[in-house]
Structures are given as structure tokens and as C-alpha cells.
Amino acid sequence: MKYVALVYYDESKMKALTQDEWDALNRECIDCGESLRSRNYMIGGEALLATQAATTLRVRNGKVDITDGPFAETKEQLAGFYLLDVRDLNEAIQAASKIPPARYGSVEIRPVRELQDDNNEGD
């Protein structure tokens, strides 16, 4: 079963890390990804740039509206994701519990919904 593990943290708190702390955290993330891949749990994943680099797009009544920045102000911002292929939610939780930024924020685990030509469910 596929799950996405969405990594969130408060960007302002992360800016308070020293360069050595930031580099150490990133090395941990690299090691975590390699460990998950070696166990065939991780399909892919990426870190994201800060929300200052975001662009939000909406299409309403055929018109495209583009806004600089994130969709909404939040206490924690989306920092990256891990795409997991595991047996079940318990295995997804075990895998996601190894994601280093969970110490600074949170990791939301959500099942992936496969798109189909018909008979799609909304939840």
C-alpha cells in the first residue's frame, strides 16, 4: 500500500539552527532516505524550499489566479515528503517515525488514492 509522509515544521524555528545543526539534520535525512530505500519502503521523496519560494495557483471560472507564497498562513509549513510503499498503516508509521524532522515538527501520514477512469471514491 502506498502512503505519503508529509513533513511539516515551523520555518522560523528552523532558521534558528546553526549551520552545523542544519547540515547534521540534512545528513540524517539523507541517511533516513537511504535506509528506507534499502528496505524497499521508499519510492521517492524530496525536500522543499521554504514557503517564500512557493506560488499558489487557483483556477476559478476558467481564470487562472496566481499568488506568491503559500495557500494559507499556518504554524507549520510543508517541508518535504516521503512516498512509501509498505504493507499497512502500522508499517507506514514505523517507517515515518524514523524521519528526522519529526523531532522539530510533525509528519502527516496519508494513504495515496489511485486515480481510476470510473468508480472513484471521494474520501
Side-chain angles (χ1 to χ4, degrees), residues 8-95:
Y8 292 91
Y9 54 56
D10 183 335
E11 290 176 350
S12 65
K13 290 181 180 176
M14 300 307 286
K15 287 180 184 177
L17 295 178
T18 67
Q19 187 65 55
D20 288 343
E21 290 170 328
W22 185 243
D23 290 344
L25 177 61
N26 280 270
R27 284 191 298 272
E28 282 186 78
C29 291
I30 292 167
D31 292 344
C32 176
E34 289 173 358
S35 174
L36 292 171
R37 280 188 196 91
S38 74
R39 297 188 339 241
N40 294 321
Y41 286 171
M42 186 170 160
I43 299 170
E46 297 291 338
L48 301 174
L49 292 175
T51 54
Q52 294 169 320
T55 300
T56 300
L57 177 140
R58 293 177 184 82
V59 178
R60 301 292 186 269
N61 299 319
K63 183 180 177 209
V64 176
D65 181 36
I66 297 175
T67 306
D68 289 339
F71 170 71
E73 290 291 323
T74 60
K75 292 181 182 180
E76 294 182 330
Q77 295 77 35
L78 182 61
F81 69 94
Y82 291 70
L83 182 57
L84 307 173
D85 190 3
V86 294
R87 279 193 313 266
D88 55 26
L89 178 59
N90 288 331
E91 199 167 67
I93 290 169
Q94 289 176 356

